[in-house]
Amino acid sequence: MITRVAVAALSLVFGTALLGHAQESGLESTIARFAASWNRGDAGAIASFVASAGVSLDLDDGPAGPLGSRQAAAALRRMFEGHETVSVRPGAVRIVGGAPQRAYSQLDWRVRARGTTVTERRTVFIALVREPAGWRITHIRLLR
């Protein structure tokens, strides 16, 4: 019993510290803006988050990249053309360290193929790197 309480307390402390660090570094606001762009299906806005070294995409038609922002926007635009977003919710945000600093997050994406009524739950995995201009996306992967 004491061990479970201690583990729960440590998890809360470390989880809160990680979230606090994510908030302080601007990571959480970057994820919120990214999620809003994803919700709108705005490929151009999503492309503005691409890291200087490019982004790797792993969408329904397979992996590609690293791609520059224009190529990434074109690939995302094609993907969004076939999908209708029902909802998007940001999920866990974690800073994993390194030099440059890296992080990851995920979105819970409720989506349906255009012209259908069947809603599907997808997870959008996002890997990020901290650049002088802020947090930038290095990888976007769709998971079922």
Side-chain angles (χ1 to χ4, degrees), residues 50 95 107 110:
V50 168
I95 295 176
L107 305 177
R110 305 292 171 134

Side-chain angles (χ1 to χ4, degrees), residues 2-134:
I2 293 174
T3 304
R4 286 185 189 173
V5 171
V7 169
L10 285 173
S11 296
L12 180 62
V13 168
F14 286 117
T16 303
L18 285 173
L19 182 58
H21 187 62
Q23 290 171 335
E24 290 171 19
S25 68
L27 178 58
E28 193 172 80
S29 66
T30 298
I31 296 301
R33 291 190 324 271
F34 181 89
S37 299
W38 193 275
N39 189 47
R40 292 188 312 271
D42 189 343
I46 293 168
S48 73
F49 291 95
V50 168
S52 59
V55 63
S56 294
L57 301 177
D58 195 349
L59 307 175
D60 291 330
D61 51 349
L67 304 172
S69 59
R70 289 179 60 180
Q71 295 90 350
L76 289 164
R77 203 171 288 114
R78 282 190 304 272
M79 185 208 52
F80 284 127
E81 285 174 355
H83 295 85
E84 180 181 354
T85 295
V86 175
S87 68
V88 173
R89 281 195 320 246
V93 178
R94 296 286 186 262
I95 295 176
V96 292
Q101 202 170 26
R102 297 195 176 271
Y104 69 89
S105 185
Q106 61 189 30
L107 305 177
D108 178 35
W109 185 31
R110 305 292 171 134
V111 64
R112 61 179 157 240
R114 292 213 185 269
T116 69
T117 59
V118 178
T119 300
E120 179 182 356
R121 181 176 180 226
R122 305 287 301 267
T123 299
V124 182
F125 173 83
I126 310 155
L128 304 99
V129 64
R130 187 167 196 153
E131 295 183 346

